[in-house]
Amino acid sequence: MMCIIMMNKVVVSLFITSVLVFWRTDVYAYTDSRPLLPPFPNGVCSGSVVTIPQDELYSTRSSPFNLFSSIENIMLPPRNIKVWMPAEYHKPEFRTHRFPVLYCHDGQNAMEDADSWTGSSWRLAGALTRMYERDMLRIEAPPIVVLVPCGEGDFAPGISRRHSEYGDMPHPVSQAHGEFMATKLHPYIMDRFRVRDGPEHCAALGSSLGGQASLQLMLRYPKIFGAAACMSPCFQAGTIAAVVSKSVSSERDDLRSKTIYIDNGGDVDDTRVPVIDVMDHFTMNDRWWNPGYWWLDTSLQPMIDAVRAILDQAGVQYRYEKFPGGRHNERAWAQRIHRPLLHLYGKEDVNERVDLFD
């Protein structure tokens, strides 16, 4: 009888062990085979966000006795700025670790669908988190992301604050924006957060005019910004001229040391951008009208080609990707946000394997 009981215990133990092994294998197989497809998860994705109050960065008290402060507030109205920190930032094993920093133009559109002006965001934190979980990044932990919102409203009828802040290279408001980013915001971030020093750890990212603003930061302040990622960039004449100037001057070698990413959608051969995409209007907030700017990526192609030709002539390495039929809005950029992030932070073999996301 005792022998039978012992045999039964062995059988039960083997059964439980086999079930656990099967369960663990099944769980890991499911995790490993989870589709790696955009759009990525919405929101902060296990990370955390802190808000920098506007009065810590801007001169919020205008006075007739402080003309500079008044002019500064007119050019760059004060606004709160959010900073996303990956979950690793607060983990004990990373308590002495310093993180790369990524400055994101149009930061209100980058992470939370509900905050975006079109009701769809780039899902940037979701992309970074998912790729880090898959060991696709060459860095030890995801970067800190500084979400810099654009100015709202108009200076005057027909003169957009955003178009001025992210405007052409000679534009005084564009220059003020670059100076603010380099001389006020970046030192503040360096002082308050555990970030790595040096241009090789500091990048800027943006779309449309925000892509132009990102390239400008790298051109204007090369000792601070070592990389620029430009999705569907709207390059204007002054910015193109600045690239020419850098490429033929003694700063050419410095330009060659930078990391540059450029992409766009638009019409390609028989693949045309649809005039209407009904999915643009199913949003996470009340901003249901999203025109999609179906013509814009195609019309921006000549300026993008001009910048590429200059970089090619100067021997500057960069990555360019074309997405046939891609629209000019946040939903479209959410479908490919992993591409600039992989160029900035991805392992080389992963960066070349776009089929991983098919």
Side-chain angles (χ1 to χ4, degrees), residues 109-335:
N109 300 328
M111 199 166 292
E112 292 274 4
D113 288 353
D115 293 340
S116 172
W117 56 26
T118 62
S120 300
S121 72
W122 305 344
R123 308 283 185 95
L124 187 149
L128 280 172
T129 302
R130 183 65 57 81
M131 291 188 294
Y132 177 72
E133 291 171 349
R134 299 297 186 92
D135 193 31
M136 301 172 81
L137 305 183
R138 65 177 180 271
I139 52 179
E140 297 177 52
I144 289 172
V145 182
V146 184
L147 304 165
V148 185
C150 65
E152 297 182 348
D154 297 338
F155 281 115
I159 304 177
S160 164
R161 287 193 180 279
R162 177 179 180 273
H163 291 179
S164 299
E165 290 180 4
Y166 300 168
D168 206 359
M169 203 78 172
H171 198 298
V173 180
S174 168
Q175 294 178 27
H177 165 74
E179 184 177 358
F180 167 79
M181 295 284 287
T183 65
K184 285 192 175 181
L185 181 57
H186 183 63
Y188 180 96
I189 296 297
M190 289 288 295
D191 183 61
R192 180 167 174 179
F193 298 91
R194 299 196 313 274
V195 298
R196 292 180 179 271
D197 195 11
E200 65 272 24
H201 306 298
C202 183
L205 165 69
S207 63
S208 192
L209 280 170
Q212 171 172 257
S214 298
L215 185 64
Q216 287 178 0
L217 285 179
M218 192 194 73
L219 295 174
R220 284 183 168 128
Y221 300 97
K223 295 186 182 302
I224 297 175
F225 297 93
C230 316
M231 298 188 294
S232 300
C234 181
F235 294 138
Q236 296 174 308
T239 301
I240 297 172
V243 177
V244 172
S245 176
K246 290 275 186 180
S247 67
V248 298
S249 71
S250 59
E251 297 178 272
R252 178 189 295 186
D253 288 342
D254 185 62
L255 186 60
R256 288 172 174 168
S257 72
K258 302 302 183 185
T259 300
I260 303 172
Y261 172 92
I262 301 170
D263 75 24
N264 69 311
D267 297 337
V268 179
D269 298 328
D270 294 333
T271 303
R272 302 288 171 173
V273 182
V275 176
I276 296 175
D277 184 343
V278 294
M279 294 305 295
D280 280 345
H281 311 295
F282 290 88
T283 66
M284 296 300 292
N285 59 23
D286 59 355
R287 299 165 187 174
W288 61 272
W289 176 243
N290 179 2
Y293 304 105
W294 54 270
W295 70 93
L296 203 44
D297 268 37
T298 303
S299 66
L300 295 175
Q301 191 70 55
M303 287 76 80
I304 292 173
D305 290 344
V307 170
R308 293 183 60 209
I310 298 163
L311 296 176
D312 288 338
Q313 184 66 29
V316 177
Q317 298 294 315
Y318 64 95
R319 187 176 188 92
Y320 172 69
E321 299 200 23
K322 181 73 175 177
F323 297 89
R327 294 165 76 76
H328 193 91
N329 63 13
E330 281 65 36
R331 271 193 69 239
W333 297 320
Q335 293 293 327

Side-chain angles (χ1 to χ4, degrees), residues 39-58:
F40 296 96
N42 181 46
V44 299
C45 299
S46 76
S48 57
V49 171
V50 298
T51 300
I52 305 173
Q54 60 184 29
D55 57 3
E56 292 191 19
L57 290 169
Y58 296 86

